[in-house]
Amino acid sequence: MKTIATCVEEILISQPFLEDALTRNILNYSALAEELRDEISKMLRKPVKAGAIMMALRRYCPPKEMANKIKLNKALQNLGDITVRSDLSDYTFKNSNSLIKGHLKMLEVLKQDPYVFYTFTRGVHESNVLVTTTLKNQIEESYKNEVCTTVQDHLSAITIGLPKENTKIAGLYYQFFKRLAWEGISLYEVVSTTNEFTILVEDDNVDKAFSAIKSLKN
């Protein structure tokens, strides 16, 4: 059976920014209770008083909040190097039986310079190739028989080294997304490995995005 408290929890979990502001005590409880009254009344199918909602808001505590918060803060302080790579291009190809052949051709090209930035990500219906813009000719030659749906130039990648225990910490990636969203920075793409996290942004946003990520580490 739903109660006011469970309704409040359901709403806050579905709106992480709101939950974060509440746990940091930077919200007006009375105003928020009035804002949520109609929604909670519909959820319970009966009128609800703002005072009861405000009491539920004050009592709300995210599950395992303190234990995970300590782990999260420690992980952010132990972030590794933050590396920026500019002059990148992103290609999106429709998946095909021959697509891997283009990837193999590019791997041969990369043997000549192992420090060139190149990632290949295969999804269910499409694949992405992120590469240094100076290799555009090689990309277009290697994948000339494939269907390219999108090409985007003038991109930069910010790669963050993650602590080894990152896979055991809830909400770590969310901290990056939340910070970038607060700064109004849109992400073009995200690429990750077990201990590295890379965000792709347009060149105009790279300085702002780098500062936002660095502020988490500090």
Side-chain angles (χ1 to χ4, degrees), residues 3-8 29-30 32-34 36-37 40-41 44 46-60:
T3 64
I4 293 177
T6 58
C7 289
V8 165
Y29 285 90
S30 178
L32 180 58
E34 287 290 349
L36 299 179
R37 184 165 61 171
I40 293 177
S41 294
L44 295 177
K46 64 179 182 180
V48 177
K49 293 182 178 180
I53 299 174
M54 186 166 63
M55 184 177 297
L57 288 170
R58 291 188 180 278
R59 291 177 176 175
Y60 175 76

Side-chain angles (χ1 to χ4, degrees), residues 199-217:
I199 61 171
L200 196 63
V201 297
E202 295 183 2
D203 286 343
D204 292 343
N205 287 326
V206 65
D207 290 339
K208 192 175 181 181
F210 178 81
S211 297
I213 296 297
K214 188 175 181 182
S215 68
L216 286 175
K217 185 175 180 178

Side-chain angles (χ1 to χ4, degrees), residues 71-216:
K71 292 181 181 179
L72 190 56
N73 287 338
K74 184 178 179 181
L76 291 173
Q77 291 172 5
N78 291 329
L79 290 178
D81 293 337
I82 303 175
T83 306
V84 178
R85 299 292 293 268
S86 56
D87 296 323
L88 302 178
S89 296
D90 186 90
Y91 291 79
T92 303
F93 297 100
K94 287 187 176 180
N95 284 346
S96 70
N97 293 331
S98 60
L99 186 63
I100 194 65
K101 294 180 181 179
H103 177 51
L104 293 175
K105 290 179 181 179
M106 281 306 301
L107 292 180
E108 290 297 322
V109 173
L110 296 177
K111 285 183 179 180
Q112 303 173 21
D113 187 354
Y115 298 103
V116 168
F117 192 96
Y118 176 86
T119 67
F120 178 92
T121 307
R122 186 179 179 89
V124 177
H125 302 294
E126 63 183 17
S127 295
N128 269 80
V129 174
L130 178 60
V131 65
T132 302
T133 301
T134 54
L135 293 182
K136 282 179 68 74
N137 291 337
Q138 291 90 327
I139 286 288
E140 292 169 4
E141 175 62 26
S142 297
Y143 293 94
K144 63 182 179 181
N145 296 323
E146 306 302 324
V147 178
C148 182
T149 59
T150 307
V151 180
Q152 178 67 46
D153 298 323
H154 308 298
L155 297 173
S156 293
I158 302 175
T159 300
I160 305 105
L162 303 176
K164 291 183 178 180
E165 67 275 12
N166 75 86
T167 57
K168 305 295 183 182
I169 302 172
L172 181 57
Y173 281 17
Y174 167 64
Q175 298 301 315
F176 298 120
F177 294 133
K178 178 181 69 172
R179 181 63 182 177
L180 293 167
W182 275 112
E183 295 291 341
I185 301 169
S186 58
L187 301 181
Y188 188 81
E189 192 174 331
V190 175
V191 181
S192 68
T193 59
T194 302
N195 297 310
E196 287 186 354
F197 177 64
T198 299
I199 61 171
L200 196 63
V201 297
E202 295 183 2
D203 286 343
D204 292 343
N205 287 326
V206 65
D207 290 339
K208 192 175 181 181
F210 178 81
S211 297
I213 296 297
K214 188 175 181 182
S215 68
L216 286 175

